[in-house]
Amino acid sequence: MRHAPRSSDGATTLEVATVMMLILLLLHASERWYVRVPSIVLAASSLLRPALRRAPLLWLLGGAVLLGGAYADWDTTDNHKYLMAYACLAWFASLRSQDVETTLARNGRLLVGLCFLFASAWKWLSPDYLDGRFFHYELLIDGRFGRLMTFVSGISVETVDQNHAAVTALLDPASTLTSVRLADTPVFATLGRAMTWWTVAIESVLAMAFLWPTERGPARLRHALLLLFVLSTYAIAPVIGFGSVLAILGFVQTTQAQPRLRSAYLFVFVLLEVYQTPWLQLLLGSTA
């Protein structure tokens, strides 16, 4: 039986990636108590009792809890909650195989590839996404982009907050409003189109790279593209759970001969938590 490759600190790829997944479950499983509580119990138990980490049943339960929570709130559940559940089920399936790490690496590659395949396909098939309207609208109302838009457009953060409040009032079931006017400038539309085509392009290439049947051609760019995507995307839109699970699924595909790449994924995994700080406010605060 093949021995699992070991990382520079002596821990196997499986051991390190498993701890990363357990930390992810502790920090980002869900805001709903009926998902968060069992996820924390399962993750904390496994962190305290290492023997539990290789128990397939634990990962099956974790995946079932996450999928159940996602289904219960299907109309509001973020996409990455499903990906986290599928990752837990990948652990379950891999732990039952003869060669755990090879199977986990293959499952991780397919999960990343299929994730970006469906994401890019939906975008290519959605005219109201391709024309830039989606990002244009999000830039106008989403407070996460507030400081960035202040910097590039001159519109204040308060104006973005007012746009958000106007849309919230319009969507209120008790509202008598039939329309609202949002503060806008041409910069929002231009940046929205740029973000649209950057996203479509990199997600399409990522899907091709991770689903390419050999290790040649686009496959050689897998890790560089994934790291670029995570670093750039979640610095602006800090959906940390999504970025973290992608970093973990990238890490499980590394080998002992790639210590720098392994370190890069670990660095990104930690950096994503730093991204939760209001760094744009700190860097651009003087422009507000």
Side-chain angles (χ1 to χ4, degrees):
M1 183 174 177
R2 174 180 174 268
H3 292 289
R6 305 188 73 81
S7 64
S8 57
D9 64 357
T12 66
T13 298
L14 177 64
E15 289 166 350
V16 176
T18 298
V19 171
M20 294 167 74
M21 271 298 297
L22 294 172
I23 292 173
L24 178 64
L25 291 175
L26 277 176
L27 298 179
H28 301 290
S30 176
E31 295 74 32
R32 302 292 188 182
W33 69 267
Y34 47 81
V35 178
R36 186 167 184 79
V37 171
S39 297
I40 288 176
V41 170
L42 289 172
S45 300
S46 297
L47 287 171
L48 293 173
R49 295 288 300 273
L52 293 176
R53 301 173 194 173
R54 282 182 171 265
L57 180 60
L58 179 137
W59 294 99
L60 179 61
L61 289 174
V65 167
L66 292 174
L67 278 180
Y71 178 77
D73 296 307
W74 64 269
D75 55 335
T76 58
T77 298
D78 292 331
N79 292 335
H80 69 276
K81 303 298 185 184
Y82 293 98
L83 186 58
M84 288 173 62
Y86 298 150
C88 287
L89 296 179
W91 248 260
F92 163 71
S94 301
L95 287 168
R96 292 175 58 85
S97 70
Q98 290 293 319
D99 190 338
V100 176
E101 291 208 4
T102 299
T103 304
L104 184 59
R106 182 173 62 250
N107 288 337
R109 179 177 65 80
L110 291 174
L111 277 176
V112 174
L114 290 171
C115 172
F116 285 112
L117 175 65
F118 288 119
S120 58
W122 173 83
K123 293 176 175 66
W124 282 112
L125 295 172
S126 302
D128 56 349
Y129 180 89
L130 291 177
D131 64 10
R133 272 183 281 174
F134 172 79
F135 270 120
H136 185 181
Y137 175 74
E138 290 299 317
L139 291 171
L140 286 172
I141 69 163
D142 195 329
R144 293 175 298 182
F145 300 118
R147 264 324 143 149
L148 175 64
M149 296 315 299
T150 294
F151 180 69
V152 300
S153 72
I155 285 184
S156 68
V157 177
E158 289 73 19
T159 301
V160 175
D161 290 340
Q162 290 167 8
N163 282 345
H164 178 75
V167 172
T168 300
L170 178 65
L171 298 178
D172 188 330
S175 174
T176 59
L177 296 171
T178 58
S179 65
V180 293
R181 182 178 295 276
L182 304 179
D184 195 2
T185 72
V187 173
F188 283 82
T190 300
L191 186 57
R193 286 192 294 271
M195 293 174 68
T196 294
W197 284 104
W198 163 252
T199 303
V200 169
I202 194 169
E203 288 187 351
S204 299
V205 175
L206 275 163
M208 183 185 301
F210 278 89
L211 295 177
W212 199 257
T214 70
E215 296 301 315
R216 300 176 181 178
R220 292 178 294 181
L221 300 175
R222 285 172 185 164
H223 295 294
L225 287 169
L226 185 58
L227 288 167
L228 174 62
F229 177 83
V230 173
L231 284 170
S232 61
T233 301
Y234 302 110
I236 303 301
V239 187
I240 306 306
F242 212 147
S244 297
V245 71
L246 289 175
I248 295 169
L249 293 175
F251 181 87
V252 301
Q253 299 171 62
T254 61
T255 67
Q256 185 181 16
Q258 300 169 306
R260 292 184 179 179
L261 188 56
R262 295 155 87 87
S263 297
Y265 277 115
L266 287 170
F267 173 76
V268 167
F269 183 76
V270 174
L271 183 64
L272 286 168
E273 296 301 321
V274 178
Y275 276 178
Q276 294 187 92
T277 63
W279 68 273
L280 273 176
Q281 286 85 331
L282 297 174
L283 290 177
L284 306 178
S286 60
T287 67

